[in-house]
Amino acid sequence: EPEVTQTPSHQVTQMGQEVILRCVPISNHLYFYWYRQILGQKVEFLVSFYNNEISEKSEIFDDQFSVERPDGSNFTLKIRSTKLEDSAMYFCAGGKGANQPQHFGDGTRLSIL
Amino acid sequence: RKEVEQDPGPFNVPEGATVAFNCTYSNSASQSFFWYRQDCRKEPKLLMSVYSSGNEDGRFTAQLNRASQYISLLIRDSKLSDSATYLCVVNPDTGRRALTFGSGTRLQVQP
């Protein structure tokens, strides 16, 4: 069964540094998403991406965040200058259609020191 | 009012028991509904979509009540492996693709 894969599984970074989280979506998915989950809290939407552009973003997704899919394969989330409160699990997800179920990768645990 | 609201539990049940979870959502225009399960520190995994007519998948039955804006999940013959957090998930608007998650209901099935 195809899977969404994410790397790295755990990233430890100093506050103020840039991080890039990577995702390889399932090949026949057209919609791509990033979510995050702070420890002990619910999963929160960050951004959706379709047809090579952002289609929707949440209030969390400020100017420090960016996404791209440069080669049609990897889907990346970049945080330009990390803050302590960016520490969370980051999940990539994909889906075939706008209202279809989304399938999640196994996440990247981001720890900001 | 929270967009998606669930009883956090925990629900502690013996193996073989039947257990039901409810979830309410605030946006009457919501279009798509799902149950996901999440094991500790793992990714959410799709359990089932929820349709207006109700649907069943083995030991799991999901129901949607649009008039009352609630969704339910029934688990029959609970197994130890069912122990997890069950997430009620809603796509709140046809114009949006973002999923809105409830905080989850924790289930612990005991031998």
Side-chain angles (χ1 to χ4, degrees):
Chain A
E1 186 177 321
E3 293 180 341
V4 178
T5 56
Q6 290 186 242
T7 54
S9 56
H10 190 190
Q11 174 82 46
V12 182
T13 301
Q14 292 287 330
M15 186 173 60
Q17 296 296 305
E18 174 183 285
V19 294
I20 298 176
L21 310 183
R22 292 183 168 81
C23 169
V24 178
I26 296 171
S27 59
N28 63 354
H29 283 176
L30 300 175
Y31 297 82
F32 311 104
Y33 310 85
W34 284 100
Y35 292 83
R36 79 171 187 191
Q37 187 174 30
I38 295 170
L39 188 63
Q41 298 187 21
K42 65 180 181 179
V43 177
E44 300 174 289
F45 168 75
L46 293 178
V47 65
S48 63
F49 194 84
Y50 171 70
N51 204 24
N52 271 328
E53 60 182 23
I54 290 174
S55 52
E56 186 183 352
K57 58 184 180 180
S58 72
E59 292 173 354
I60 303 168
F61 194 89
D62 62 21
D63 292 344
Q64 295 300 313
F65 291 85
S66 61
V67 290
E68 61 177 9
R69 194 167 180 245
D71 57 6
S73 174
N74 291 295
F75 179 48
T76 62
L77 174 70
K78 182 192 291 187
I79 309 175
R80 209 173 350 264
S81 177
T82 50
K83 303 188 279 285
L84 293 175
E85 54 264 38
D86 293 328
S87 296
M89 279 290 285
Y90 287 80
F91 295 110
C92 172
K96 293 181 185 177
N99 294 318
Q100 296 295 307
Q102 295 174 21
H103 298 272
F104 285 73
D106 56 3
T108 293
R109 179 171 303 282
L110 179 62
S111 300
I112 307 300
L113 305 179
Chain B
R1 184 178 172 186
K2 290 181 186 175
E3 286 191 84
V4 179
E5 198 149 2
Q6 296 182 251
D7 180 344
F11 284 58
N12 295 305
V13 303
E15 270 187 289
T18 296
V19 62
F21 308 134
N22 289 331
C23 158
T24 57
Y25 59 94
S26 61
N27 187 343
S28 60
S30 297
Q31 294 296 313
S32 306
F33 309 90
F34 311 96
W35 284 102
Y36 281 74
R37 73 170 271 167
Q38 186 175 33
D39 294 288
C40 189
R41 299 200 171 202
K42 301 285 189 181
E43 75 275 21
K45 289 188 176 173
L46 178 69
L47 185 64
M48 57 199 304
S49 302
V50 187
Y51 304 115
S52 297
S53 54
N55 48 303
E56 188 173 308
D57 183 1
R59 298 182 292 107
F60 300 86
T61 301
Q63 296 276 350
L64 168 63
N65 184 321
R66 284 190 183 271
S68 302
Q69 292 177 215
Y70 84 76
I71 306 153
S72 64
L73 177 68
L74 182 79
I75 306 175
R76 287 182 298 279
D77 189 22
S78 301
K79 313 287 185 198
L80 294 175
S81 57
D82 293 334
S83 298
T85 297
Y86 289 82
L87 307 175
C88 177
V89 183
V90 175
N91 182 317
D93 197 297
T94 51
R96 298 179 57 197
R97 301 183 180 108
L99 295 178
T100 300
F101 283 75
S103 299
T105 298
R106 192 157 150 249
L107 172 66
Q108 186 67 47
V109 181
Q110 294 164 338

